[in-house]
Amino acid sequence: MTLQLPVWAVVTPKRREHIARVVHVLEQWSVAMELDIDEALAWRDAGRWHDALRDEGEYALRMITGELDRPVGMLHGPAAASRLAIEGESRHPVLEAIRWHTVGCAAWQRTGRALYMADFLEPGRPFLQTERALLAARVPTAFDAVFRDVVRLRIEWALRSGKGLAHETVRLWNDIR
Ligand SMILES: [Fe+2]
């Protein structure tokens, strides 16, 4: 299957491969969890579009989002969500999944949580490969428990590399710990 991205997407070939792997992981979970068609499509589309502006320039991302202060690495989700909404995408879970996929969101239901996990657990990332594969395999039977583990791992990873935490991430962790 060719990966369908919006015409305005700005992605490198490597990014396109990452997006395809995220979609594949989401589709595997959808089948294993026997999702209804609407939710399966929501997961797939969230995966397809979450990084559509990941390789867009800082100026354009700040123009689209109106965000002048946030770190640029946090802007591609909100920017893609706002472009999709302008184009008529109205599924709230899809837009919220994409908008917050970099930092997490305490109000997420399953679509946002699934994208957040798939983005981190897709097999192409070079670190923690065994641990992440085990987590990915457990998602269909222990969705919320794995989500909590992934949030914790991503926070630990951020702290270890000296990065700060967005307030959305802190709120999410306090909500699920
Ligand atoms: Fe991603």
Side-chain angles (χ1 to χ4, degrees):
M1 187 194 87
T2 49
L3 184 66
Q4 287 177 305
L5 293 173
V7 289
W8 41 263
V10 181
V11 291
T12 61
K14 272 200 173 317
R15 191 81 57 197
R16 186 177 279 271
E17 290 169 13
H18 158 72
I19 294 169
R21 288 192 299 268
V22 170
V23 170
H24 184 65
V25 167
L26 288 166
E27 285 175 345
Q28 287 179 317
W29 293 342
S30 299
V31 170
M33 294 171 74
E34 299 181 348
L35 298 193
D36 66 47
I37 186 69
D38 288 344
E39 190 173 13
L41 290 176
W43 287 25
R44 185 201 64 186
D45 291 341
R48 278 203 304 192
W49 299 332
H50 78 285
D51 270 348
L53 290 175
R54 184 66 183 86
D55 299 303
E56 179 59 283
E58 177 170 357
Y59 181 80
L61 292 173
R62 294 205 185 279
M63 287 299 105
I64 295 168
T65 58
E67 285 279 3
L68 300 180
D69 299 324
R70 290 210 133 195
V72 64
M74 290 182 189
L75 300 184
H76 63 282
S82 92
R83 290 294 303 256
L84 288 162
I86 288 167
E87 288 193 343
E89 176 55 52
S90 60
R91 290 170 294 175
H92 188 70
V94 174
L95 294 175
E96 290 299 279
I98 293 168
R99 187 182 317 280
W100 300 114
H101 79 269
T102 312
V103 293
C105 174
W108 272 340
Q109 306 275 312
R110 289 208 302 192
T111 303
R113 291 177 171 219
L115 173 62
Y116 185 85
M117 290 192 281
D119 195 19
F120 185 71
L121 298 179
E122 65 94 342
R125 295 192 183 274
F127 53 90
L128 300 176
Q129 285 186 323
T130 307
E131 187 171 4
R132 291 185 311 100
L134 290 171
L135 286 167
R138 283 180 54 226
V139 166
T141 53
F143 188 91
D144 289 329
V146 174
F147 179 64
R148 186 182 169 287
D149 286 347
V150 168
V151 174
R152 182 178 48 74
L153 260 181
R154 285 183 61 158
I155 289 173
E156 287 173 359
W157 203 254
L159 293 179
R160 230 177 284 148
S161 39
K163 291 183 184 158
L165 298 177
H167 56 263
E168 289 88 356
T169 310
V170 175
R171 196 176 311 143
L172 170 61
W173 176 247
N174 287 336
D175 207 60
I176 60 172
R177 76 197 148 89

